[in-house]
Amino acid sequence: MTDKTKRIILIAAGVLLCAALVVGIVSRLAAVPMPIDPAIPDDTPNTKDPVVNISDPEVKVDSKTDGKQHDPGRDADSSGTEQTIQGTPTKPDAPEHPGKTEKDHAADDVPDADRNKETPPTYKPEQTEVKPQPTEPAGGSTNDAGQVYVPGFGYITPSGPNTVIDGQDIYENGNKIGIMGG
């Protein structure tokens, strides 16, 4: 067999394998039946479900928690374009002070050994004179020693003018780095 014949046989086998896979996938997906929604009868409601009449415009809800009927929306306003869902809250009365109990005591009831005998702290009068803070010199200014001030770094001795290095011979791992030169 020649190479051309082998190549044709391999291509034909590949095409047949792909066709078999496509047929298998399509038949697998087509075999899954789609679930059908059961028809909902419109004739009578289920006896377990409550009957709700939506066309009745007046709705009354009774909520009883402790035997008394409470109306949570008694101060609600539904007229106009702005509505309030909750009425204005009212602050309850403050509870009564329990009065003097057995645990309350007078200052004379504390023994001398348990009393705080430290003297209260003394404070110096506040400083009324404001000392001016030293200001930083402007960036780039020089001092008497010839140093240049750089904000955040202080005075730095200059190293001279900038230098240019020709990068024609810069290589890393035998490969030239970047495009350098003119």
Side-chain angles (χ1 to χ4, degrees):
M1 261 203 266
T2 63
D3 287 336
K4 188 174 182 180
T5 310
K6 289 179 183 177
R7 207 176 291 148
I8 291 172
I9 291 173
L10 284 175
I11 291 173
V15 169
L16 287 175
L17 182 64
C18 288
L21 285 174
V22 168
V23 169
I25 291 172
V26 169
S27 65
R28 180 83 171 153
L29 292 177
V32 176
M34 298 301 278
I36 301 172
D37 292 334
I40 299 174
D42 291 336
D43 51 356
T44 59
N46 192 350
T47 57
K48 295 179 185 176
D49 295 335
V51 177
V52 178
N53 187 1
I54 299 176
S55 63
D56 187 14
E58 188 166 334
V59 176
K60 292 184 180 181
V61 177
D62 293 334
S63 61
K64 296 181 180 180
T65 56
D66 59 355
K68 298 178 183 177
Q69 184 173 354
H70 299 283
D71 185 13
R74 66 177 176 267
D75 294 331
D77 179 21
S78 63
S79 63
T81 58
E82 292 191 23
Q83 298 178 353
T84 57
I85 297 173
Q86 181 180 11
T88 55
T90 57
K91 185 175 181 180
D93 296 333
E96 294 181 19
H97 188 272
K100 195 164 185 131
T101 62
E102 297 175 6
K103 294 182 181 178
D104 292 340
H105 56 82
D108 297 336
D109 294 341
V110 178
D112 287 338
D114 292 339
R115 291 182 188 243
N116 186 2
K117 296 185 180 183
E118 295 179 10
T119 59
T122 57
Y123 300 100
K124 297 178 183 176
E126 292 185 29
Q127 181 183 3
T128 57
E129 202 175 291
V130 179
K131 295 179 181 176
Q133 297 288 336
T135 59
E136 292 185 357
S141 61
T142 58
N143 62 5
D144 298 335
Q147 295 176 325
V148 178
Y149 183 77
V150 178
F153 295 98
Y155 284 102
I156 299 175
T157 305
S159 61
N162 294 338
T163 57
V164 177
I165 300 172
D166 188 20
Q168 293 296 325
D169 57 346
I170 298 177
Y171 291 91
E172 182 176 308
N173 297 332
N175 298 323
K176 188 171 183 176
I177 300 175
I179 300 171
M180 299 181 194

